[in-house]
Amino acid sequence: MTQAITIMTVAIFILNIFLAVALIFLERRDATSTWAWLMVLFFIPVFGFFIYLLFGRQLRKRHMFRWEGRNRIGIEKLVDYQIEAIEDGTFEFNLDDTAHYKDMIYLHLRNNHALLTQDNDVEIFNDGTAKFESLIADLEQAKDHIHIQYYIFRLDNLGRRIFDVLVKKAKQGVKVRVLYDDMGSRGLRKRHFRELVEAGGEVEAFFPAILPLINPRMNYRNHRKIAIVDGRIGYIGGFNVGDEYLGLKKKFGYWRDTHLRIEGSALHPLQTRFILDWNQASTTHDIEYADRYFPAIPRKGEVGIQIVSSGPDADWEQIKDGYLKMINLAKKYIYIQTPYFIPDASFLDSLRIACLSGIDVRIMIPNKPDHMFVYWATYSNVGSLLRAGAKVYIYENGFIHAKMIVVDDELSTVGTANIDVRSFKLNFEVNAFIYDREESHELAELFEQDMRLCTELTSEAYHSRSTAIKLKESLSRLVSPIL
């Protein structure tokens, strides 16, 4: 018996060594995450191996998202034209506000092929009831197609309302497609959409489980939230589909989030994003190019928007790069709302430098966790910025889930990407970067209204925290690179 235990111990030790070698020399991770995984493997020798299998394996990036239709709508040529026009100084900006940020626009063009559109109208939602009433009203008016993509789609009261509308529209001949993430929407299966499929709709799951309740791809989830109606109206932001997003779950209370309704040419890159995701998930119903998905859109407004995507399929962290560029461009203030604040050193350093340069940096986070380790890692990180002069606000009116940054009343972003390693490296995300004074000012005003519902975390309060909280922070900070 003792000999068998010894052999097993040696085998586990050898397995950990081989896995550690693979981590260091084969997967080419950054040093921070490599050390975090080595700690897991050697301090939890048996379970650490299975944790790595579920959370640690890297994604094969090659040709994940391919769609020849992009050439048909000319996005690649338009991107090339915009890059060249900015380089030679001939690009025509509709507004001075947009032209002021041409270097950031150029970054997204080169880094993500994110086309700039300058004819958009934007409506901002910070309440779930208002957002979903608007979405359902738009779905009811659909004439040609509906494309729905959510990380979480629950068939509860809200989900059932949307589902019933989708079934009705499918029976009317509208082409309905629903894409959900298999991990985010745990328990949801295609069979639950049988009525929609029988009515002519199509449903796909992103990275579905191999076996029921067992999904080895715990990472690399599609965290995007997109809705498109007839190629003319689009939604993007933080709200998923479920009763908790209406503030109906006691655990979270009121759900504070931010979402955008967009009309204008930004719908073309948003539609392209949906089609790329759909074709990756679908094995039998690929979307081919058709004019119906990219209709000519009459001018709706003057808001400049770039739709920027990021994910583990890319070599660079495009949305994080955009966030950093915003911070570096700030002259007066930076407002940040995020449910999770677990950035890397580059992000923390950029905010610290902004604070020390006299920029008014304000960060708003929840007062309650939906993930315990994430919450205490967030608390630790915001605490580290207090010394540099950042102002930190704890939202007390429920749960704040908004992913929003505003800079100087001129530049803003709203989308699905949190400020954490998971959003920057592991999940598939999408954000709208907005170059417009009016929309950015409105987002800043919403932030300032939320401040009235917050408690400010002062340096004195942070440094007087209990030993238990300090211990939780320390443990959470150690594993934060792999949270």
Side-chain angles (χ1 to χ4, degrees):
M1 182 69 177
T2 303
Q3 184 178 6
I5 293 174
T6 302
I7 293 172
M8 182 178 296
T9 302
V10 171
I12 291 171
F13 180 74
I14 293 173
L15 179 63
N16 273 4
I17 290 176
F18 277 111
L19 192 53
V21 169
L23 269 172
I24 296 170
F25 295 106
L26 299 180
E27 296 207 347
R28 309 294 294 177
R29 297 172 182 269
D30 64 88
T32 304
S33 61
T34 297
W35 278 112
W37 277 116
L38 289 175
M39 183 182 71
V40 170
L41 290 172
F42 284 103
F43 281 91
I44 320 174
V46 178
F47 292 106
F49 174 71
F50 292 103
I51 292 172
Y52 173 78
L53 289 179
L54 288 175
F55 292 100
R57 294 184 303 159
Q58 290 191 317
L59 184 71
R60 293 182 180 180
K61 302 177 181 180
R62 188 174 299 174
H63 305 315
M64 274 200 65
F65 298 99
R66 301 183 67 185
W67 183 54
E68 299 304 323
R70 281 184 289 187
N71 295 327
R72 295 286 300 278
I73 58 175
I75 283 185
E76 301 297 334
K77 288 184 177 180
L78 284 172
V79 167
D80 290 340
Y81 162 75
Q82 291 190 350
I83 289 174
E84 292 173 7
I86 290 176
E87 288 176 345
D88 62 27
T90 61
F91 192 92
E92 294 184 6
F93 293 98
N94 291 354
L95 300 172
D96 290 340
D97 293 347
T98 310
H100 182 65
Y101 294 103
K102 66 180 179 181
D103 53 344
M104 181 164 176
I105 293 165
Y106 184 76
L107 165 71
H108 286 315
L109 283 164
R110 292 199 59 202
N111 201 17
N112 193 239
H113 285 192
L115 189 71
L116 172 68
T117 59
Q118 302 185 84
D119 61 349
N120 302 288
D121 179 72
V122 176
E123 184 176 1
I124 300 169
F125 294 99
N126 66 339
D127 174 77
T129 299
K131 180 261 177 171
F132 284 109
E133 290 300 327
S134 177
L135 174 61
I136 291 170
D138 285 333
L139 296 177
E140 290 276 11
Q141 298 302 312
K143 299 292 189 294
D144 183 77
H145 67 274
I146 294 171
H147 289 161
I148 295 283
Q149 175 180 353
Y150 282 98
Y151 173 64
I152 296 173
F153 195 111
R154 304 193 198 283
L155 285 175
D156 50 17
N157 292 330
L158 174 61
R160 180 59 61 178
R161 278 189 68 195
I162 293 174
F163 179 82
D164 290 344
V165 174
L166 297 178
V167 171
K168 181 175 74 173
K169 300 309 291 187
K171 289 179 178 178
Q172 293 174 0
V174 173
K175 189 62 184 178
V176 176
R177 294 182 175 95
V178 176
L179 175 62
Y180 64 91
D181 184 84
D182 190 71
M183 184 60 63
S185 304
R186 286 184 292 273
L188 190 65
R189 295 291 177 265
K190 287 186 180 180
R191 68 177 182 274
H192 296 138
F193 292 94
R194 184 177 294 116
E195 186 181 359
L196 176 58
V197 173
E198 290 174 351
E202 296 176 3
V203 179
E204 294 290 350
F206 191 87
F207 282 178
I210 298 173
L211 298 171
L213 303 179
I214 299 176
N215 196 326
R217 290 192 179 113
M218 299 289 284
N219 288 328
Y220 314 126
R221 306 315 312 178
N222 198 317
H223 195 237
R224 295 166 182 149
K225 296 98 175 167
I226 296 171
I228 297 168
V229 179
D230 292 343
R232 298 178 182 276
I233 298 170
Y235 288 81
I236 179 175
F239 284 106
N240 288 293
V241 175
D243 287 346
E244 65 263 43
Y245 302 98
L246 300 179
L248 300 178
K249 292 296 179 69
K250 185 177 180 180
K251 175 182 176 181
F252 296 110
Y254 181 74
W255 191 278
R256 170 65 177 87
D257 219 322
T258 305
H259 221 91
L260 306 178
R261 180 185 185 272
I262 301 173
E263 292 185 80
S265 295
L267 265 295
H268 289 174
L270 194 63
Q271 182 82 282
T272 300
R273 180 69 268 164
F274 175 87
I275 292 173
L276 288 166
D277 286 359
W278 176 271
N279 287 355
Q280 194 287 326
S282 175
T283 56
T284 57
H285 299 99
D286 276 8
I287 300 175
E288 302 292 340
Y289 172 82
D291 290 339
R292 63 193 286 192
Y293 302 127
F294 300 93
I297 301 175
R299 189 176 190 86
K300 292 291 183 179
E302 295 185 316
V303 179
I305 294 177
Q306 283 179 294
I307 302 296
V308 179
S309 304
S310 67
D313 59 312
D315 293 327
W316 296 327
E317 300 163 29
Q318 294 98 329
I319 292 178
K320 188 193 86 170
D321 290 347
Y323 285 174
L324 289 175
K325 186 66 174 176
M326 292 178 73
I327 293 168
N328 294 333
L329 288 170
K331 302 297 182 187
K332 296 181 292 185
Y333 75 80
I334 302 165
Y335 290 172
I336 297 174
Q337 286 180 320
T338 179
Y340 319 122
F341 189 75
I342 315 176
D344 60 12
S346 67
F347 200 100
L348 282 171
D349 285 344
S350 293
L351 283 177
R352 178 179 55 82
I353 292 168
C355 290
L356 296 174
S357 302
I359 308 299
D360 181 8
V361 176
R362 305 185 187 191
I363 304 169
M364 191 177 297
I365 60 172
N367 73 336
K368 60 185 71 175
D370 62 342
H371 304 291
M372 186 61 68
F373 278 110
V374 172
Y375 175 78
W376 290 115
T378 292
Y379 204 75
S380 174
N381 283 314
V382 295
S384 71
L385 290 172
L386 288 172
R387 182 180 171 192
K391 298 181 179 70
V392 177
Y393 298 91
I394 312 298
Y395 187 74
E396 303 288 357
N397 190 44
F399 186 76
I400 190 161
H401 189 251
K403 303 95 167 53
M404 184 270 289
I405 301 178
V406 185
V407 168
D408 295 348
D409 263 9
E410 295 178 351
L411 175 65
S412 55
T413 182
V414 171
T416 68
N418 299 305
I419 299 175
D420 62 6
V421 174
R422 183 163 296 278
S423 280
F424 291 162
K425 291 185 177 183
L426 300 178
N427 284 342
F428 298 94
E429 308 282 2
V430 62
N431 270 47
F433 284 80
I434 304 168
Y435 309 93
D436 184 82
R437 184 178 296 273
E438 183 177 334
E439 301 300 332
S440 298
H441 180 70
E442 182 177 346
L443 287 167
E445 285 187 325
L446 291 175
F447 183 98
E448 290 167 359
Q449 290 173 18
D450 290 333
M451 283 172 51
R452 302 170 192 159
L453 303 171
C454 292
T455 298
E456 184 173 356
L457 178 63
T458 64
S459 294
E460 294 76 15
Y462 180 73
H463 291 299
S464 65
R465 65 200 189 283
S466 67
T467 302
I469 291 178
K470 291 178 182 178
L471 180 61
K472 291 175 184 178
E473 285 186 24
S474 298
L475 292 173
S476 299
R477 191 168 54 248
L478 282 174
V479 297
S480 63
I482 57 175
L483 286 176

